[in-house]
């Protein structure tokens, strides 16, 4: 059994996408979701910090660790994807070249596509004041990264190595928030084709549906703002 410490954000979805796809393929990765309500500050609780010292979800605890021994905890979404791919022998490439290509695009996502789009989210939706320089900077970088992904997907079904991989699991949930990024996917037809094709897969649909049980409509409160951003409420 794998304990998945999760909240329905793009980084959380990465892991449920892999788990649902792997189980559809017969991998038998039984898992249990342990909600980490980041708006309520669950990510700062001592029990969670013991497995995720950066106070960020997702994290996992594998009670049947690869290689045996005591339960193994893994934090950071990219590391979790790599660990589960290695454990199942799926989604990380079969040849050395494939593994390098998949790793390149996984690291592209965790180093750029996720963080830059996250800054776009913050300054467009949550910052206590509008900062035109920041909004413009992250919007332009968002559009540049969508362009990189669009060129990559020209004539390709998947992001890397001509097969469904952890690079797809990493990139898809962030693309799902394209409206939050003020991005029209019509401008990026290859991204749109890839995104819609994967979204139609039953395992992807199940993974995103799982998140709905935890995603209640909540007004941003001062307490939530403090837990999420460490920032004060906006000035009226």
């Amino acid at each position: 059994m794998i304990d998945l410490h999760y909240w329905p954000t793009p980084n959380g979805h990465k892991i449920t996408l892999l788990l649902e796809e792997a189980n559809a393929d017969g991998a038998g990765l039984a898992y249990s979701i342990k909600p980490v309500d980041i708006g309520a500050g669950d990510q700062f609780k001592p029990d969670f910090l013991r497995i995720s010292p950066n106070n960020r979800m997702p994290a996992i605890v594998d009670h049947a660790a690869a290689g045996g021994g005591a339960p193994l905890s893994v934090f950071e979404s990219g590391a979790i994807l790599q660990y589960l791919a290695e454990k199942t022998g799926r989604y990380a490439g079969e040849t050395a070249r494939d593994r390098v290509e998949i790793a390149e695009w996984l690291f592209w996502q965790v180093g750029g596509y996720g963080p830059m789009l996250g800054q776009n989210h913050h300054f467009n939706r949550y910052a206590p004041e509008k900062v035109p320089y920041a909004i413009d900077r992250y919007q332009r970088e968002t559009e540049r990264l969508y362009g990189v992904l669009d060129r990559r997907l020209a004539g390709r079904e998947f992001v890397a190595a001509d097969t469904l991989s952890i690079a797809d699991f990493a990139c898809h949930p962030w693309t799902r928030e394209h409206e939050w990024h003020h991005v029209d996917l019509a401008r990026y037809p290859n991204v749109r084709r890839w995104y819609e094709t994967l979204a139609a897969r039953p395992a992807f649909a199940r993974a995103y549906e799982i998140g709905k049980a935890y995603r209640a409509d909540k007004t941003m409160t001062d307490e939530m703002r403090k837990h999420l951003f460490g920032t004060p409420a906006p000035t009226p």
Side-chain angles (χ1 to χ4, degrees):
M1 175 67 72
I2 292 170
D3 294 336
L4 170 58
H5 296 263
Y6 162 91
W7 200 243
T9 69
N11 286 333
H13 292 316
K14 294 176 187 178
I15 312 307
T16 51
L17 288 173
L18 184 152
L19 289 166
E20 289 297 319
E21 277 287 346
N23 287 332
D25 289 345
L29 288 178
Y31 71 99
S32 174
I33 288 179
K34 309 297 183 183
V36 181
D37 187 340
I38 58 178
D42 289 354
Q43 67 272 34
F44 300 107
K45 292 181 177 179
D47 286 350
F48 182 67
L49 288 172
R50 277 193 282 272
I51 63 172
S52 184
N54 195 37
N55 61 266
R56 295 288 188 271
M57 69 87 226
I60 66 168
V61 177
D62 187 356
H63 294 276
L72 174 66
S73 64
V74 188
F75 73 101
E76 291 295 325
S77 61
I80 297 168
L81 289 174
Q82 286 190 317
Y83 171 77
L84 293 174
E86 291 172 5
K87 178 172 181 171
T88 61
R90 294 167 165 84
Y91 312 124
E94 295 186 0
T95 69
R97 289 180 182 272
D98 287 350
R99 288 191 290 273
V100 168
E101 191 173 296
I102 290 168
E104 287 176 329
W105 286 94
L106 173 64
F107 295 149
W108 176 82
Q109 189 283 314
V110 298
Y113 195 59
M116 295 299 102
L117 273 53
Q119 293 297 325
N120 183 318
H121 283 184
H122 180 75
F123 285 104
N124 271 299
R125 296 179 67 91
Y126 297 123
E129 61 181 281
K130 296 296 183 183
V131 183
Y133 174 82
I135 291 170
D136 178 67
R137 168 176 166 74
Y138 290 113
Q139 187 64 44
R140 286 187 288 107
E141 181 63 2
T142 292
E143 293 170 4
R144 186 189 74 81
L145 289 165
Y146 269 87
V148 171
L149 186 58
D150 195 66
R151 291 190 295 275
R152 173 61 180 175
L153 287 165
R156 303 180 62 90
E157 186 176 358
F158 302 106
V159 171
D162 297 322
T163 186
L164 182 68
S165 77
I166 53 178
D168 297 287
F169 300 142
C171 293
H172 197 271
W174 283 97
T175 309
R176 186 170 181 253
E177 306 297 341
H178 59 91
E179 292 181 357
W180 280 29
H181 309 147
H182 301 283
V183 165
D184 181 359
L185 287 187
R187 293 180 53 200
Y188 307 98
N190 299 313
V191 173
R192 181 171 64 179
R193 168 186 48 77
W194 163 84
Y195 168 74
E196 292 177 348
T197 299
L198 292 190
R201 294 173 70 96
F204 273 62
R206 284 195 302 274
Y208 288 129
E209 187 66 25
I210 287 167
K212 293 181 181 179
Y214 305 97
R215 178 66 79 187
D217 290 331
K218 292 184 178 180
T219 301
M220 181 67 71
T221 64
D222 291 354
E223 181 183 9
M224 291 173 65
R225 187 180 297 277
K226 179 180 178 181
H227 290 317
L228 290 169
F229 312 124
T231 56
T235 303

